[in-house]
Amino acid sequence: MNILSQWIRSYVPGLTLPDRELAEALTLRGIAVEGIYELGPGSGSLFEMDITTNRVDAMNHYGIAREAAAIAGLPLAPLDAALPPSHPVTVPIKVSIEAPELCGRFTARSLSQVRIQPSTGIVTELFALLQQKLISNAVDATNFVTLAMGHPTHAFDRDKVEGGIVVRRARSGEKLKTLDGMERVLDPEDLVIADEKKAIGLAGVMGGWDTMITAETKNILVEAAWFDPATVRRSSKRHGLHTDASHRFERGADFNAPPVASAMVSQLILQGGGHVEGEMVDVVIPAAAARTALRTPIGLTHREVRRILGATEDGRGVEQETTESVLQALGCTLQKTAEGEYQVTLPSWRLDLEREIDLIEEIARVYGYNRFANTLPTFSGIVREQPDARKEAVVRQTLLGLGWNEALSSTFCSATEAVTFAPQPALAVPLGNPLNEEAGMLRPSLLPGMLTMLAHNLNRNVNDVQLFENGTAFSGSTERVDERPALSLGASGSVWSGPELPAHAIDFYDLKGAIEEIVEKFAQRSFYFDTFDGAAGIIPAWLHPGRSARAVADGLTVAWFGQLNPAEAQQRKLRQTVYVGEIYLDRLYRLPLRQPIAPELSRYQPVERDFSFVFADAVRWQSIADALHNLHVAELTRFAPREIFRASQALPRGHYSILIRITFQALERTLREEELQSYSQAVIAALESLGGRQRA
């Protein structure tokens, strides 16, 4: 939000801090100023601010001025809520709250013989600096007061209000045309401001079209109220209406602010003419007042303040005078008991303060965290590494070494994504109060976030992407949530293979190789890849049925990977082929890490032999490697494919030719020719057992 330093200074006479120093002081105390823009001589600066959601009291100029006054130790000027004497009432305003659990306070003030005209004076000056749109003096007055003190109000054309004001739940199917021109069908859970015949406003969100202020308006009803935050939030979300009013009400408005806000709005409107008719009607629900403005005082001892906050840079610690002055500057009332304890009455605008430790944190914040001595907390235990920390580090280092980039995504996903990507159905956990429909579930898989990150890159012309995320997936129910470690992979485009090799398009085998490298870091007795027919119903829905595979280690499925299902790619508007995979780390971590062994190097000459064989296409390299391993020839130290031919007239259809180079080497002697012949015959027999035919 944008704040004017000139407006702040009008509430804190004598504030001499330059604008940049003021911005730094506020930022150090949690009221973050993210940008400073000078507005010219005599106009001060515009602060671009980021106010956290728990500090709704600071989402206005007066609230920030209160912080500035507390920092500088200066008095805060009171808000001017003076009004001229009212005229006798002709038609009294009747206010009835039929939903007291949703509306805790409602004020109504009648203004007669007003003139609707363009705004003038301080309103136009400050709005020009803020680049705020001017509408009319009545509407601008409500916007001005919201910016000034933070409490939303609304002005109704009183002549269009039929009878008294009723604050009630909406009736099923009831319709309301709001100020944005949209006709909305209301829900019985919506709270509305109504007259005796119809709804005239969606409480805390937006007023109604039928009673809006126009150039012909002569009489105005000024409304200022306090609404239940959760009710406003649900209505705002239900109707897709996020307004300045709802932004503040749904975070907890000041229960005592409505009378002051009403007076300030009336004051500005009456500058153009007119008078107040009768006294303001103020209906208060005692139960709501007890929850907000009349909360039970909190006990606080200065001894606890010093114990928690510790030493300051000057060595004196936080003194008692500082404790008192800071809390009083923030609006608290202190009463000291005979035992030396403070009973602190909380200000109505700080609903975030609930406990003694909250008050201590406020003291530290305003005093300045930078003014405390740098000390380390005492520690009597030992640092314990998490059980799987070493395994996690090995997995991460392996992928980084292979050229993949680590990324982080949200732990939330949509309900549709939860169904698509969950390893098992009906195990996704819904959130009780989600941020939006796209983040309503705890993620059962890391893949939704991975696809979002891939789309983010591809849609910004970053076409070569290799990402992995090592995080937590969730399953269970709202009563019991289980967490498990997981790893997702996502790649698209081309990959650079090294200085001597050209870049190649990422394919299925790049993903397979990365997974194989990871699993090989663990000591498994058996490890293989397999595929399934798409009609079998085994392949996850997010994978292409003909271009995917499973990795199995010691009988456990540890990964699924392959090309993203075209339907999913189309839905996410991915322009190029994407390969994804997920490794179930909770299963992989059951295996111990492979312990590297450095064998003694032989001083004797190695001998290489080439074996050329023809195999059917069904014979994979894994079968060949297993056959050679199973010979258990200690002197067979290395083997690798050197050449593979498939398209040749000399080969039968469905066969390929492979040249395998095998290295023999003994540790303690030079190998004799008869030994080499014996080993070679064993190799030939093993390969022939797979159906291979040795080429001449």
Side-chain angles (χ1 to χ4, degrees):
M1 65 178 298
N2 294 331
I3 294 293
L4 298 174
S5 64
Q6 172 186 331
W7 203 340
I8 294 174
R9 293 179 188 279
S10 69
Y11 295 130
V12 192
L15 182 62
T16 58
L17 277 176
D19 284 352
R20 291 197 172 272
E21 291 184 21
L22 175 60
E24 183 179 0
L26 289 168
T27 302
L28 285 172
R29 287 157 179 84
I31 310 296
V33 180
E34 306 235 326
I36 306 173
Y37 306 94
E38 296 181 3
L39 298 176
S43 299
S45 303
L46 183 143
F47 293 166
E48 191 176 84
M49 310 200 69
D50 182 17
I51 308 299
T52 54
T53 56
N54 66 317
R55 291 301 307 274
V56 64
D57 65 292
M59 294 178 183
N60 57 83
H61 287 81
Y62 195 70
I64 294 174
R66 184 185 294 111
E67 294 286 329
I71 294 167
L74 295 171
L76 180 69
L79 292 169
D80 182 11
L83 286 174
S86 62
H87 289 205
V89 62
T90 55
V91 180
I93 304 172
K94 295 180 181 179
V95 175
S96 172
I97 300 179
E98 294 183 357
E101 71 281 10
L102 306 183
C103 176
R105 187 171 195 173
F106 194 96
T107 68
R109 176 177 272 117
S110 181
L111 307 180
S112 297
Q113 302 305 311
V114 300
R115 291 173 57 192
I116 303 303
Q117 59 189 19
S119 295
T120 58
I122 191 66
V123 174
T124 58
E125 293 174 20
L126 296 180
F127 274 29
L129 295 175
L130 287 170
Q131 296 184 347
Q132 177 86 15
K133 181 181 178 181
L134 291 167
I135 300 173
S136 69
N137 59 337
V139 177
D140 295 341
T142 61
N143 293 334
F144 183 90
V145 170
T146 301
L147 294 171
M149 63 169 293
H151 197 86
T153 57
H154 190 71
F156 296 94
D157 187 323
R158 198 182 72 194
D159 295 329
K160 298 176 182 176
V161 177
E162 302 180 75
I165 294 293
V166 182
V167 186
R168 57 171 173 81
R169 293 179 184 271
R171 301 185 179 99
S172 181
E174 187 173 12
K175 295 181 180 180
L176 170 67
K177 186 177 182 181
T178 48
L179 286 174
D180 58 359
M182 296 285 292
E183 186 173 73
R184 303 179 185 277
V185 179
L186 303 178
D187 187 274
E189 292 300 311
D190 289 327
L191 182 68
V192 297
I193 301 169
D195 58 23
E196 293 179 0
K197 293 188 177 180
K198 62 186 180 301
I200 60 175
L202 189 58
V205 181
M206 185 177 283
W209 180 276
D210 295 337
T211 55
M212 69 177 175
I213 302 298
T214 65
E216 290 73 34
T217 298
K218 300 298 181 184
N219 302 302
I220 288 177
L221 187 149
V222 178
E223 166 262 312
W226 184 94
F227 302 112
D228 173 62
T231 301
V232 175
R233 185 182 302 113
R234 285 193 291 267
S235 290
S236 174
K237 181 179 177 181
R238 185 180 297 116
H239 296 285
L241 274 175
H242 184 81
T243 62
D244 287 341
S246 68
H247 187 79
R248 288 163 173 79
F249 276 125
E250 68 186 31
R251 285 160 175 78
D254 180 0
F255 192 86
N256 286 343
V260 179
S262 174
M264 291 178 65
V265 169
S266 302
Q267 191 181 77
L268 289 170
I269 295 174
L270 293 176
Q271 289 177 3
H275 59 267
V276 180
E277 184 174 303
E279 298 299 322
M280 180 186 72
V281 177
D282 186 4
V283 181
V284 176
I285 305 300
R291 296 195 308 269
T292 54
L294 302 178
R295 288 174 291 166
T296 304
I298 297 175
L300 174 72
T301 62
H302 183 63
R303 180 179 64 256
E304 187 69 2
V305 173
R306 292 179 65 90
R307 186 187 75 81
I308 294 290
L309 300 184
T312 56
E313 286 186 333
D314 58 14
R316 294 184 297 180
V318 177
E319 298 181 346
Q320 188 164 342
E321 293 78 7
T322 302
T323 295
E324 295 177 355
S325 62
V326 167
L327 292 179
Q328 289 170 347
L330 294 176
C332 298
T333 303
L334 277 64
Q335 183 176 359
K336 201 169 185 179
T337 65
E339 294 78 19
E341 181 185 52
Y342 293 106
Q343 288 296 311
V344 182
T345 301
L346 303 171
S348 57
W349 54 84
R350 289 298 301 274
L351 298 180
D352 58 315
L353 302 180
E354 298 177 344
R355 303 168 296 167
E356 181 184 37
I357 193 64
D358 296 335
L359 298 176
I360 295 173
E361 183 180 359
E362 286 297 288
I363 294 167
R365 184 180 64 81
V366 176
Y367 180 79
Y369 295 125
N370 57 315
R371 297 173 63 186
F372 288 93
N374 292 325
T375 58
L376 291 174
T378 58
F379 180 65
S380 59
I382 61 174
V383 177
R384 296 183 182 274
E385 189 177 60
Q386 292 296 317
D388 296 326
R390 177 60 185 157
K391 297 176 181 179
E392 181 179 328
V394 168
V395 170
R396 177 178 285 108
Q397 291 164 6
T398 299
L399 286 169
L400 292 173
L402 291 172
W404 294 73
N405 297 302
E406 186 168 12
L408 292 174
S409 67
S410 172
T411 56
F412 307 135
C413 69
S414 68
T416 302
E417 290 174 328
V419 171
T420 303
F421 294 97
Q424 297 177 352
L427 286 181
V429 182
L431 297 176
N433 185 23
L435 297 173
N436 52 59
E437 291 184 0
E438 299 303 313
M441 312 286 285
L442 286 174
R443 63 182 182 191
S445 164
L446 274 60
L447 288 169
M450 175 56 66
L451 290 173
T452 299
M453 292 186 291
L454 289 172
H456 183 85
N457 281 274
L458 298 178
N459 292 337
R460 287 159 180 79
N461 297 321
V462 180
N463 297 321
D464 302 329
V465 190
Q466 279 184 281
L467 299 178
F468 76 92
E469 180 179 8
N470 193 335
T472 303
F474 305 88
S475 61
S477 63
T478 53
E479 289 76 25
R480 176 185 172 84
V481 178
D482 296 319
E483 302 180 16
R484 62 175 179 85
L487 185 141
S488 64
L489 299 167
S492 186
S494 300
V495 61
W496 183 72
S497 304
E500 299 179 358
L501 297 172
H504 71 273
I506 292 172
D507 58 20
F508 172 89
Y509 295 100
D510 290 297
L511 213 60
K512 177 178 180 289
I515 292 173
E516 190 169 11
E517 285 283 345
I518 292 170
V519 178
E520 287 293 343
K521 299 296 182 182
F522 294 81
Q524 77 282 344
R525 295 183 300 276
S526 67
F527 174 50
Y528 62 88
F529 296 97
D530 58 8
T531 60
F532 298 92
D533 185 85
I538 299 175
I539 301 172
W542 45 273
L543 281 174
H544 190 300
R547 301 174 186 175
S548 56
R550 178 181 68 159
V552 181
D554 284 0
L556 292 173
T557 299
V558 294
W560 280 99
F561 64 97
Q563 182 180 329
L564 182 66
N565 191 303
E568 186 69 25
Q570 183 178 5
Q571 182 180 349
R572 292 177 177 270
K573 300 180 180 178
L574 296 172
R575 303 189 307 272
Q576 60 192 50
T577 304
V578 168
Y579 294 91
V580 290
E582 183 167 33
I583 300 178
Y584 306 128
L585 293 180
D586 57 326
R587 301 175 184 177
L588 190 61
Y589 286 169
R590 298 177 193 175
L591 305 175
L593 283 172
R594 187 184 300 278
Q595 298 302 319
I597 300 174
E600 183 181 349
L601 295 179
S602 175
R603 294 177 294 171
Y604 299 93
Q605 185 72 18
V607 179
E608 292 182 345
R609 291 284 190 268
D610 288 345
F611 298 85
S612 183
F613 270 79
V614 175
F615 288 104
D617 286 343
V619 179
R620 306 290 182 90
W621 171 253
Q622 185 66 51
S623 301
I624 297 172
D626 290 342
L628 295 175
H629 278 301
N630 291 335
L631 290 175
H632 300 296
V633 176
E635 288 76 13
L636 195 161
T637 59
R638 193 179 306 113
F639 60 86
R642 301 300 296 175
E643 295 177 351
I644 299 177
F645 295 97
R646 291 188 180 276
S648 173
Q649 294 180 353
L651 293 176
R653 180 182 294 273
H655 287 69
Y656 65 93
S657 174
I658 182 170
L659 177 67
I660 306 171
R661 180 163 294 170
I662 298 180
T663 303
F664 299 100
Q665 186 178 25
L667 186 63
E668 299 176 347
R669 69 186 189 282
T670 299
L671 292 173
R672 300 188 304 275
E673 183 61 30
E674 57 268 24
E675 290 180 294
L676 292 171
Q677 288 295 334
S678 173
Y679 299 153
S680 296
Q681 290 302 318
V683 168
I684 292 171
L687 297 180
E688 287 179 341
S689 70
L690 298 175
R693 175 174 57 83
Q694 190 174 15
R695 297 188 66 181

